[in-house]
Amino acid sequence: MRYFTNRLPDYTAGSPVDIPHAQLRGRVASIVDAVVQHVQPRHLRNCEGGLYVGAAGIAYALWYITQTGQFPKEALRYQGLCKQYLVGSVEYEKRNKKEAGASFLCGACGVDAVGALYDHTSSSQSEGSSSHAAAQFLESYANFAKICTPMNFLGPCGSDELLVGRAGYLCGVQLLAQKLGKQVLSQETTNSLCKVVVESGRSYSKRHQSPSPLMYAYYDTEYLGAAHGLSGILQVLLGFPDFVKSDPSAEKDIRDSVDFLVKCQASHGGNIPPALDECGARTRPAEHELVHWCHGAPGECEPHPLGNCPGYLVNLLASSKILHCAPKLWQPYMLKEDSKSPPPKCVVVKTITRPVYNTSHRSSYNWGG
């Protein structure tokens, strides 16, 4: 099995929930101390991998912790550490201009996003002294839009998924709008990028005769999960309701693709298979399921700001089909590291080892829910 079983008791309706705040704060503080001790912020080798596995991710975590208001005594120290990890990441990206620049989680634009968040917060606390730096980071982030506008800007590996592709870049646009209260891109540019994502999915689906109107592949695998696949891409598109409502044909294809994902649920437990070639009769047995945010039900059930989403998404999330996934999120508890998987380097390495199944007989699949 790829996970530890959750041994915590199930919640009983009406019973009080005791959250040990002091214990959790102590645990967070000890984790921060351990990270700082083992990961030097200015060592460039620690900066590779951006937000995903690099120092920029540590900078974002420290920034986020300070924004909770739960660590008033440690706030100044954490802010200082955040800046150190951020500066190291910026230096690394300047020295290593790679094709992953437009990658939100693995490239330079993710570092720009963290820089904008940090400097925006600093400027609000110091009467605007860092506002110019925040504006520069935002401008740099916006400039990456033209890089990821071409449909196949990352070549044959797939240009739309969340970690390194267009969906990730658009996810960063959403994050900055939410945290800073301002739009990084014009509505025209945002709609243009969303349209490319839809057209890319349509084109791939048509070429490969996919049962979903939108389908994508990452390194030749038709993933369904949040990290590399259809679910993550659809969730990002649904985060731009103005685009969805402005294009009826795109809305229909997004709606039908969401419905298709629901039909892919496994009959045992309601998990979502990691890829298209494991749907229907080829679903993994329960003991070999991947129940991760990256691959499986946890990524499918990520909450959305329902007030901004089209009505059919609200209906979908309220449906018994999606609620059927809930036990899958609770029972596995924690993912085990796969010792056979390669280290999580960005762009060219898939972080989950997945058995390869024959995909040449899609017509024999049972797509029923």
Side-chain angles (χ1 to χ4, degrees), residues 21-99:
H21 293 283
Q23 180 181 344
L24 292 174
R25 282 194 293 268
R27 179 61 177 152
V28 170
S30 66
I31 291 173
V32 170
D33 290 341
V35 170
V36 172
Q37 180 181 353
H38 291 93
V39 183
Q40 297 299 314
R42 302 299 289 271
H43 285 189
L44 295 185
R45 62 182 176 83
N46 294 330
C47 299
E48 182 181 3
L51 280 170
Y52 186 33
V53 293
I58 299 174
Y60 177 78
L62 288 164
W63 174 84
Y64 188 90
I65 290 170
T66 62
Q67 299 307 296
T68 65
Q70 296 294 317
F71 298 86
K73 294 181 180 179
E74 299 90 349
L76 286 177
R77 174 173 172 255
Y78 288 174
Q79 288 172 5
L81 288 169
C82 175
K83 184 174 182 178
Q84 291 181 44
Y85 284 103
L86 175 61
V87 169
S89 299
V90 171
E91 290 178 357
Y92 175 83
E93 295 300 339
K94 286 181 178 179
R95 297 186 186 187
N96 297 271
K97 295 185 180 298
K98 298 181 179 179
E99 71 278 4

Side-chain angles (χ1 to χ4, degrees), residues 154-175:
L154 287 178
C157 70
S159 300
D160 295 286
E161 57 88 71
L162 196 65
L163 265 70
V164 300
R166 240 181 319 267
Y169 180 78
L170 287 167
C171 185
V173 172
Q174 293 176 357
L175 172 72

Side-chain angles (χ1 to χ4, degrees), residues 162-287:
L162 196 65
L163 265 70
V164 300
R166 240 181 319 267
Y169 180 78
L170 287 167
C171 185
V173 172
Q174 293 176 357
L175 172 72
L176 291 168
Q178 179 189 55
K179 299 298 184 182
L180 305 183
K182 60 179 68 176
Q183 297 299 323
V184 181
L185 304 177
S186 67
Q187 188 65 53
E188 180 182 2
T189 301
T190 300
N191 285 356
S192 176
L193 287 172
C194 290
K195 186 174 182 179
V196 174
V197 174
V198 172
E199 291 297 333
S200 176
R202 286 170 174 165
S203 176
Y204 183 92
S205 177
K206 184 176 181 179
R207 292 197 312 272
H208 295 268
Q209 299 180 335
S210 173
S212 172
L214 301 179
M215 184 51 65
Y216 307 85
Y218 184 61
Y219 285 95
D220 299 322
T221 299
E222 295 166 334
Y223 287 106
L224 300 178
H228 302 304
L230 182 61
S231 169
I233 295 169
L234 292 175
Q235 290 184 52
V236 169
L237 288 173
L238 288 166
F240 294 97
D242 289 342
F243 163 73
V244 176
K245 295 172 184 176
S246 72
D247 189 333
S249 64
E251 180 175 1
K252 182 181 186 305
D253 285 347
I254 293 171
R255 178 203 302 264
D256 292 345
S257 298
V258 171
D259 290 341
F260 165 77
L261 271 177
V262 174
K263 292 179 181 179
C264 288
Q265 280 186 287
S267 58
H268 49 78
N271 194 35
I272 303 292
L276 184 63
D277 56 9
E278 296 187 38
C279 290
R282 299 169 188 264
T283 301
R284 295 178 182 224
E287 63 270 19

